[in-house]
Amino acid sequence: MPALPPARRSAVPESDYARKHAVTCLRLAAECRDLAAGAATPELRARVLRMADIWEDLADQPPSESTPDDSGSY
């Protein structure tokens, strides 16, 4: 009898993880934009808006090799 190929992990958890990653990044970007609206100085506002842009860029990228902890957070 031929040997069975090694078991592969299901793609569902990986796609679920990628979706959660994107949602988390977009939530953080939105929080940054909210913070920017109340920033005390133009410099602080610009910095927080740059952070929002970075979170949005990260939402479009696949998650890194790190995995969430047991609570589901990063």
Side-chain angles (χ1 to χ4, degrees):
M1 175 178 237
L4 295 174
R8 292 185 352 184
R9 291 184 354 170
S10 170
V12 174
E14 290 177 13
S15 68
D16 187 46
Y17 177 62
R19 181 188 59 79
K20 286 179 182 179
H21 165 80
V23 168
T24 299
C25 290
L26 292 174
R27 179 183 55 80
L28 290 169
E31 288 180 16
C32 287
R33 295 202 185 283
D34 288 344
L35 287 171
T41 65
E43 293 81 12
L44 181 58
R45 182 176 186 275
R47 179 177 291 244
V48 177
L49 288 174
R50 280 194 308 272
M51 289 172 54
D53 290 341
I54 291 169
W55 281 118
E56 287 178 357
D57 290 344
L58 288 172
D60 293 334
Q61 297 176 11
S64 69
E65 294 295 319
S66 63
T67 58
D69 61 23
D70 291 337
S71 68
S73 61
Y74 296 86

